[in-house]
Amino acid sequence: DAKTTQPPSMDCAEGRAANLPCNHSTISGNEYVYWYRQIHSQGPQYIIHGLKNNETNEMASLIITEDRKSSTLILPHATLRDTAVYYCIVRVNRDDKIIFGKGTRLHILP
Amino acid sequence: DAGITQSPRHKVTETGTPVTLRCHQTENHRYMYWYRQDPGHGLRLIHYSYGVKDTDKGEVSDGYSVSRSKTEDFLLTLESATSSQTSVYFCAISDWTSGTGYEQYFGPGTRLTVT
């Protein structure tokens, strides 16, 4: 089973910040939080990852709570092209079984 | 798609026939994965490999086998296809990359229909 809980769907107005929550209350000290998204029928695409500090790249920001039991992915200025399913995953930062949950379907409204 | 190809991209087959899907990578990544995706289930891991001839089961491995005789190729075989195996199959590769950690790169997918 996935170690994360995400809302099944969310709406966001175009141009606004989209804030996608993820709960991972059983995260271990050596597990990272990774975010991916899947647009339409394409393969998932990496967005960002982090351990305990907040992270930012050209696509998004990742805010991880101090207790690391939850995180938020922020798309600062959502566009219609950001409509996708967003997956939050926790995993040790080496490769092993990677379990995807059902993700959050984000709808960007014009 | 980061040097990952899947073949075939579409296949229709009959129940009971064997089917092999191929994933080929040109990135020399150590880790390879097979997932299936069905409506309402998201991505589910079938099998994965952490090196040549080193494979392990995922969460939905029944009815599937895999082989990896070369770094670049990871084969998924349905020994006797069933209608419940109708799905979209994604291959993924991964290895350590500075800045993105063990980011997974996904292939374009194979749409398999078992009639």
Side-chain angles (χ1 to χ4, degrees):
Chain A
D1 290 336
K3 299 180 182 179
T4 62
T5 304
Q6 299 177 253
S9 67
M10 293 182 63
D11 293 337
C12 179
E14 189 176 17
R16 297 295 186 107
N19 296 277
L20 292 91
C22 179
N23 286 323
H24 30 80
S25 58
T26 61
I27 192 170
S28 301
N30 61 347
E31 287 184 312
Y32 285 68
V33 180
Y34 277 74
W35 282 84
Y36 287 78
R37 73 179 182 184
Q38 187 173 24
I39 296 173
H40 195 39
S41 56
Q42 301 175 21
Q45 173 193 24
Y46 166 87
I47 301 173
I48 199 167
H49 78 287
L51 181 62
K52 53 184 177 182
N53 297 322
N54 298 336
E55 302 287 345
T56 296
N57 63 19
E58 65 278 4
M59 288 181 68
S61 294
L62 173 61
I63 309 299
I64 303 174
T65 58
E66 191 169 347
D67 64 7
R68 301 206 325 120
K69 293 186 177 182
S70 65
S71 60
T72 301
L73 178 74
I74 301 172
L75 308 178
H77 304 288
T79 71
L80 296 177
R81 289 175 295 181
D82 292 321
T83 294
V85 178
Y86 288 77
Y87 297 97
C88 169
I89 301 158
V90 294
R91 50 177 292 209
V92 178
N93 212 16
R94 58 174 170 78
D95 251 12
D96 56 4
K97 279 184 188 179
I98 299 170
I99 305 296
F100 283 76
K102 295 185 179 181
T104 296
R105 185 171 296 277
L106 178 65
H107 301 274
I108 305 300
L109 307 175
Chain B
D1 286 323
I4 309 171
T5 56
Q6 293 184 231
S7 57
R9 293 293 313 280
H10 301 271
K11 186 171 181 67
V12 179
T13 192
E14 294 184 347
T15 297
T17 60
V19 177
T20 295
L21 307 183
R22 180 184 184 227
C23 178
H24 179 78
Q25 60 146 328
T26 58
E27 305 295 321
N28 199 36
H29 279 11
R30 178 179 175 186
Y31 303 96
M32 299 186 75
Y33 304 79
W34 277 108
Y35 292 89
R36 60 178 288 175
Q37 187 166 38
D38 307 290
H41 287 280
L43 283 159
R44 292 185 290 175
L45 180 65
I46 305 172
H47 281 279
Y48 65 105
S49 169
Y50 41 96
V52 172
K53 298 185 179 176
D54 288 325
T55 65
D56 205 346
K57 296 180 179 180
E59 37 178 348
V60 290
S61 59
D62 288 348
Y64 301 94
S65 62
V66 289
S67 66
R68 191 165 177 207
S69 58
K70 299 184 291 185
T71 298
E72 57 266 34
D73 289 325
F74 193 32
L75 304 180
L76 177 71
T77 297
L78 291 65
E79 300 290 348
S80 178
T82 67
S83 59
S84 65
Q85 293 174 312
T86 292
S87 188
V88 179
Y89 291 85
F90 286 101
C91 173
I93 65 173
S94 182
D95 213 321
W96 173 257
T97 303
S98 176
T100 60
Y102 281 102
E103 174 185 353
Q104 278 187 307
Y105 295 95
F106 285 80
T110 293
R111 185 172 296 276
L112 176 67
T113 302
V114 183
T115 60

